[in-house]
């Protein structure tokens, strides 16, 4: 399909997303190559990604973007495909990426919020594609997405299929949550003191019950889709990683397994802390009086200042989303645009607080851990974006305009990812 590429008006099927990636590689061969993951999905589908850069790989920082890990989250795969399309057209033609003025009508009954035009300048795109190796893997879990599309839930806002399609004789036990299956604190029974953890939270950091949505799988990285993400992080030697999810209007930084701390003895690989990590928020009254308050180590030493830089990048993504909505991040004046486009910045460990605690086996924590596994490796700055909101149809945003839910979400994804890429250059 030749450019220009319109904003999607319906969610793309896995086959359509695969075709779109192949089309981009064929249309822009000087800028874009199609890569195939080493593992097919559990239902034997090939899964591809794009590498976009204006030169052969020569040590530029690698930015890895993933989406579609959770099947029912409709918008991220489509937004990532359109992000790649827009970058390639802009870099080839020297034209700005322009999102026209639009409106979005929040649920349940509006009123509509009007948003001004939003432009990504062509020279900004050129700078990014000349300065980074960009890897775009928009659909990690094609089997799950297709199942969700073929079996739409009665509640499109808060329900739908989440896991992959790992087979089981009992339909209630099909699937593994890919975002609890990665090789980082997967065996949470050893990582945490679960008696302390469960004294404060309703559920564990993942589930060992295959009937549950957060089932972690039979072993770490047991799923081919999980292994693909880990392979790409390592093959590309990612310096920056973002997994785009839906929904909640949050920009989340690592760690997800615990609150961040500055004690280098407190690490996920330290046997001294096996079964003694609490998972509680700092200062929690549930902490045993004889137990140090465990916090997962993140260095903040020069030259990279990892802990500080994580917060800086997350803040820049949040601010870019506000600017795309026509709100000045430096001014706190109330407006409908600010109210409906403000993303919270925080650690993944606090995503479910106060009812839930830290989580294990996630994509971003796996990417983040790699700098600790190999001290000679450059830092990895890893994030999750929870785009969209319940008032924008939750997991299944309306692609029609009006109400304009998907179009608004797509603008926000573009703005946030361009902010990350600009930082990476």
């Amino acid at each position: 399909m030749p450019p220009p590429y319109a904003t999607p008006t319906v969610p793309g099927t896995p086959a359509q997303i695969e075709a779109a990636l192949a089309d981009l590689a064929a249309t822009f061969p000087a800028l874009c190559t199609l890569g195939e993951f080493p593992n097919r999905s559990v239902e034997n589908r090939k899964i591809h990604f794009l590498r976009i850069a204006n030169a052969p790989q020569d040590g530029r920082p690698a930015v890895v973007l993933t989406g579609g890990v959770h099947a029912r989250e409709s918008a991220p795969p489509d937004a990532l495909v359109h992000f790649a399309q827009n970058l390639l057209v802009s870099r080839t033609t020297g034209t700005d990426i322009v999102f026209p003025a639009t409106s979005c009508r929040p649920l349940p009954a509006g009123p509509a919020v009007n948003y001004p035009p939003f432009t990504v300048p062509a020279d900004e795109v050129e700078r990014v594609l000349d300065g980074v190796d960009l890897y775009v893997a928009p659909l990690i879990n094609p089997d799950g997405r297709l199942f969700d599309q073929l079996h739409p839930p009665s509640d499109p806002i808060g329900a739908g299929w989440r896991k992959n399609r790992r087979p089981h004789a009992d339909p209630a036990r099909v699937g593994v949550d890919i975002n609890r299956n990665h090789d980082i604190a997967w065996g949470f029974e050893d990582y945490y003191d679960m008696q302390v953890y469960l004294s404060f939270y309703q559920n564990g950091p993942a589930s060992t019950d295959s009937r549950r949505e957060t089932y972690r799988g039979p072993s770490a990285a047991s799923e081919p889709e999980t292994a693909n993400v880990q392979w790409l992080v390592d093959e590309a030697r990612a310096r920056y990683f973002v997994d785009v999810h839906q929904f909640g209007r949050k920009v989340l930084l690592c760690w997800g397994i615990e609150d961040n701390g500055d004690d280098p003895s407190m690490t996920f690989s330290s046997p001294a802390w096996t079964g003694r990590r609490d998972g509680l928020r700092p200062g929690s009254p549930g902490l045993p009086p004889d137990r140090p308050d465990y916090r997962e180590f993140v260095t903040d030493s020069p030259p990279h200042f990892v802990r500080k830089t994580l917060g800086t990048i997350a803040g820049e993504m949040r601010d870019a989303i506000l600017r795309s909505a026509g709100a000045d991040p430096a001014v706190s004046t109330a407006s409908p645009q600010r109210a409906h486009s403000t993303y919270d910045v925080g650690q993944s460990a606090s995503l479910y607080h106060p009812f839930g605690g830290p989580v294990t086996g996630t994509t971003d924590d796996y990417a983040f851990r790699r700098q600790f596994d190999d001290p000679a490796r450059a830092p990895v700055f890893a994030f999750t974006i929870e785009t969209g909101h319940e008032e924008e149809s939750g997991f299944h945003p309306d692609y029609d305009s009006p109400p304009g839910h998907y179009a608004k979400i797509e603008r926000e994804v573009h703005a946030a990812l361009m902010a990350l890429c600009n930082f990476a250059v």
Side-chain angles (χ1 to χ4, degrees), residues 294-374:
Y294 183 90
R295 304 187 194 188
E296 194 71 30
F297 174 65
V298 181
T299 181
D300 213 24
S301 301
H304 300 293
F305 302 99
V306 173
R307 189 162 4 114
K308 179 181 178 181
T309 302
L310 283 169
T312 298
I313 297 171
E316 292 194 6
M317 287 193 278
R318 173 201 60 206
D319 291 351
I321 291 169
L322 278 173
R323 283 191 291 270
S324 76
D328 184 349
V331 178
S332 58
T333 305
S335 69
Q337 292 77 17
R338 180 182 298 278
H340 295 281
S341 295
T342 294
Y343 278 56
D344 295 328
V345 170
Q347 257 193 261
S348 295
S350 61
L351 172 62
Y352 297 107
H353 190 78
F355 303 107
V359 294
T360 52
T362 61
T363 55
D364 52 350
D365 270 5
Y366 176 81
F368 195 59
R369 76 166 283 176
R370 301 307 280 157
Q371 63 197 301
F372 297 90
D373 295 329
D374 178 5

Side-chain angles (χ1 to χ4, degrees), residues 66 69-70 162 177-187 192 205-206 214 216 220-221 226 229-230 233 241 243 245 252-258 348-349 351-352 357-370 382-384 386:
T66 59
V69 166
H70 286 150
R162 172 182 169 106
D177 184 350
I178 298 169
N179 210 34
R180 299 294 184 272
N181 185 239
H182 286 77
D183 189 10
I184 175 65
W186 178 88
Y192 299 106
T214 58
R216 67 181 179 181
T226 306
V229 174
Q230 296 188 173
V233 166
F241 176 88
D243 192 16
H245 282 258
L252 302 170
L253 54 96
C254 290
W255 290 101
I257 52 177
E258 258 286 7
S348 295
L351 172 62
Y352 297 107
V359 294
T360 52
T362 61
T363 55
D364 52 350
D365 270 5
Y366 176 81
F368 195 59
R369 76 166 283 176
R370 301 307 280 157
F383 306 87
T384 291
E386 293 281 358

Side-chain angles (χ1 to χ4, degrees), residues 35-55:
E36 183 175 335
F37 281 109
N39 303 289
R40 295 192 178 198
S41 71
V42 294
E43 292 183 346
N44 203 37
R45 289 183 173 86
K46 293 182 178 181
I47 310 172
H48 291 87
F49 61 91
L50 295 178
R51 175 184 174 266
I52 303 173
N54 192 32

